[in-house]
Every structure is written in structure tokens, then in C-alpha cells.
């Protein structure tokens, strides 16, 4: 980051980011874009995080961030109050008092190519070409969509692959879970960052040997793995499966600002939050 030139404005930063992750790609039910902040304010430091929670606000304020870009929306469901005694209200009040803006890229980052699931695929060891698990019908190139499917460089057992997934994602109290024969050989892998049990059938149709996603429920998972030829399942913490995208998002923002050019250029510093915002604080097991 250079200090010779003035920092770009918040509107310049969001415009550059939206070239990579256009809000029109978001699902109709989603809430993406600028949550709070003055479009005219300068932005010198941008913190990328999964969740807009108070621990992330603490990190942003300690670092001196001007903007937080999160994957998860703060206002996904309608609210009638942002009073400071409510969880969402506390976040909004703290950000506004500190002059820190908040921006969200959610399902528009999920469906982008590359997007959230591309980053997850790379994190768990898929190095070759990827294709969408659930393609976006509006993309004539067939690259965008939810989830990705790829092939491991070399087949391995489900147990070994589960260990690779564990090692490739942030450590969380809940860890990861696998369903299926740990000795079965897996080669074709489907992934979907975030909650992906709606894509179980898509993973089976895609010919995946294993499906990596989050928030799998007991009954659908139990019934699914009992189907003939069904993929094995690896269930990861929701936060962990989406965290790998943060660095990609930061790199794409810097690149887009650089392409925009002008005297300000990419005069911003980015940082990926290391705050673990998984909902669970500890797992208790008999092992």
C-alpha cells in the first residue's frame, strides 16, 4: 500500500468489488451490498471476514480498518430496530461511531467463478479444472453456479481425504465429520461452501465419490449415504468452509482497484480476519 496518493473512496472500492461479484448475481432472497458507511469516505484498510459479529468489529477497530467486507449478511432477515441493546444494533452502532463501513458479498460470491466453492476446492486439495455443481442457467459460459466438482490428483481413501480436509481448513472446536466407509477410495469430489444439503442429489448426479459441505442434518444424511452408489459425506463447520474465500476476495478487490487505475489506484491494505466465528465454542466427546 502506498501513502503517496489519497485512498480511494468507499464508493470506488465497492464499485471495483462489484465488478468481480455483481450484486445481480445474488439470490432473490439475499441481502448484499453496503450495510453502513458514507460512500464519500476514504478507505485505506479493508478487513475481510466471514461473519459481521462483535469479535470481528473488535479486530477491525484494533487494526484501524475503514471497511469490513463479510460473506454473511448482517441484515439477512427483516428487522424493525437497530437499537444498541440488540445484537445487530450493537454492531451497527459501533461501526457508525467508529466511522467503519460494512459491506456484504454473499450468494453473489458463492456463484461467482471463481467464488467461494472454488476457494474451498483448492483448500481441500483439488488442483485441476472445476465445474459448477449446480450451474447458473444465466451464464452462457457455464462457469458460474453453486458448488464445484473436481478430481483429486491421485485417488485416496475417504479417511485420508477427510484428514486432508481437516488440515486445509481453519481449526474449529467442532472439527469435521465423515459419513461412509473410511477405507473406500475417493477421486471425484464435490464441494459447496456453507449449507449444502439441498445439493445432495446434485452431488450424486455429478458422479462424486465424496461431497464436502456444511450443516448436514441427521435424517437427510443418514438416508443419503444408504442409497446405492451415493457419495460419502464430509460435514465441515459452516465458518470453516467459507473462510478460504476471504483471501481470494481480498486479492480480487486489489486487482479490480488496480484495473480501475487513476491516481488512487489500489492504494488500500487488505487483511483476512483470523477470528474464528464458528457458532460452537467447544465439542464434548468421549474420545
Amino acid at each position: 500500500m502506498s501513502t503517496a496518493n489519497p485512498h480511494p473512496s468507499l464508493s470506488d472500492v465497492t464499485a471495483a468489488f462489484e465488478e468481480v461479484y455483481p450484486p445481480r448475481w445474488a439470490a432473490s432472497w439475499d441481502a448484499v451490498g453496503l450495510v453502513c458507511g458514507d460512500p464519500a469516505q476514504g478507505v485505506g484498510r479493508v478487513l475481510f471476514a466471514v461473519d459481521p459479529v462483535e469479535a470481528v468489529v473488535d479486530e477491525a477497530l484494533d487494526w484501524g480498518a475503514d471497511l469490513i467486507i463479510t460473506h454473511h449478511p448482517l441484515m439477512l432477515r427483516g428487522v424493525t430496530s437497530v437499537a444498541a441493546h440488540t445484537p445487530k444494533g450493537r454492531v451497527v452502532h459501533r461501526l457508525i461511531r467508529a466511522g467503519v463501513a460494512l459491506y456484504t458479498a454473499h450468494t453473489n460470491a458463492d456463484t461467482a467463478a471463481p467464488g467461494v466453492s472454488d476457494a474451498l476446492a483448492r483448500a481441500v486439495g483439488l488442483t485441476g479444472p472445476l465445474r459448477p455443481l449446480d450451474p447458473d442457467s444465466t451464464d452462457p459460459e457455464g462457469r458460474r453456479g453453486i458448488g464445484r466438482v473436481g478430481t483429486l490428483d491421485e485417488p485416496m481413501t475417504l479417511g485420508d481425504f477427510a484428514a486432508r480436509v481437516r488440515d486445509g481448513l481453519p481449526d474449529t472446536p467442532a472439527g469435521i465429520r465423515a459419513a461412509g466407509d473410511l477405507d473406500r477410495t475417493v477421486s471425484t469430489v464435490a464441494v459447496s461452501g456453507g449449507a449444502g444439503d439441498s445439493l445432495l442429489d446434485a452431488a450424486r448426479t455429478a458422479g462424486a465419490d465424496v461431497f464436502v459441505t456444511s450443516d448436514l442434518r441427521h435424517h437427510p444424511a443418514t438416508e443419503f449415504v444408504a442409497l446405492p452408489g451415493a457419495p460419502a459425506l464430509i460435514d465441515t463447520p459452516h465458518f470453516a468452509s467459507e473462510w478460504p474465500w476471504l483471501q481470494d476476495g481480498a486479492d480480487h478487490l486489489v486487482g479490480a482497484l488496480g484495473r480501475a487505475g487513476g491516481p488512487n489506484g489500489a492504494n488500500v491494505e487488505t487483511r483476512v480476519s483470523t477470528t474464528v466465528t464458528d457458532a460452537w465454542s467447544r465439542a464434548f466427546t468421549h474420545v
Side-chain angles (χ1 to χ4, degrees):
M1 180 183 73
S2 168
T3 57
N5 296 320
H7 297 302
S9 68
L10 176 59
S11 62
D12 290 336
V13 172
T14 56
F17 197 63
E18 288 175 358
E19 288 183 8
V20 184
Y21 307 106
R24 68 178 183 277
W25 289 351
S28 60
W29 50 264
D30 206 359
V32 302
L34 188 63
V35 178
C36 64
D38 180 354
Q41 74 184 71
V43 174
R45 286 183 167 182
V46 184
L47 178 69
F48 280 76
V50 174
D51 296 293
V53 295
E54 289 204 75
V56 168
V57 176
D58 291 339
E59 183 179 357
L61 298 187
D62 288 344
W63 182 52
D66 305 296
L67 168 65
I68 304 172
I69 295 180
T70 63
H71 182 52
H72 289 150
L74 179 65
M75 305 290 186
L76 182 58
R77 302 288 180 257
V79 297
T80 59
S81 170
V82 289
H85 69 277
T86 66
K88 295 182 187 298
R90 281 196 299 272
V91 169
V92 171
H93 279 257
R94 292 186 66 195
L95 292 174
I96 291 175
R97 281 198 299 265
V100 178
L102 174 64
Y103 183 97
T104 294
H106 192 211
T107 51
N108 50 326
D110 286 328
T111 195
V116 171
S117 290
D118 296 89
L120 173 58
R122 301 311 183 201
V124 301
L126 298 177
T127 59
L130 301 171
R131 67 182 191 273
L133 177 59
D134 182 18
D136 183 342
S137 61
T138 68
D139 178 19
E141 297 181 359
R143 298 177 60 240
R144 294 199 312 269
I146 303 299
R148 294 293 183 267
V149 182
T151 305
L152 294 170
D153 289 340
E154 295 182 0
M156 62 181 62
T157 66
L158 174 62
D160 287 342
F161 179 64
R164 174 183 285 192
V165 173
R166 176 202 62 201
D167 294 343
L169 298 181
D171 188 24
T172 58
I176 69 167
R177 304 180 296 181
D181 179 359
L182 295 179
D183 292 324
R184 72 179 287 181
T185 299
V186 298
S187 178
T188 301
V189 179
V191 304
S192 182
D197 64 359
S198 65
L199 297 171
L200 289 172
D201 288 340
R204 187 182 184 207
T205 301
D209 300 309
V210 58
F211 180 33
V212 181
T213 191
S214 304
D215 298 343
L216 292 174
R217 295 172 294 157
H218 174 80
H219 292 299
T222 300
E223 295 169 4
F224 181 75
V225 295
L227 295 172
L233 297 175
I234 294 180
D235 186 41
T236 71
H238 194 124
F239 156 83
S241 71
E242 294 174 328
W243 185 86
W245 169 77
L246 300 180
Q247 187 62 60
D248 280 9
D251 292 343
H252 284 304
L253 172 61
V254 171
L257 285 168
R259 290 191 298 273
N264 298 341
N267 192 33
V268 297
E269 183 178 356
T270 62
R271 176 175 174 176
V272 170
S273 172
T274 56
T275 301
V276 175
T277 55
D278 185 52
W280 310 108
S281 57
R282 184 173 176 183
F284 293 82
T285 70
H286 290 287
V287 178

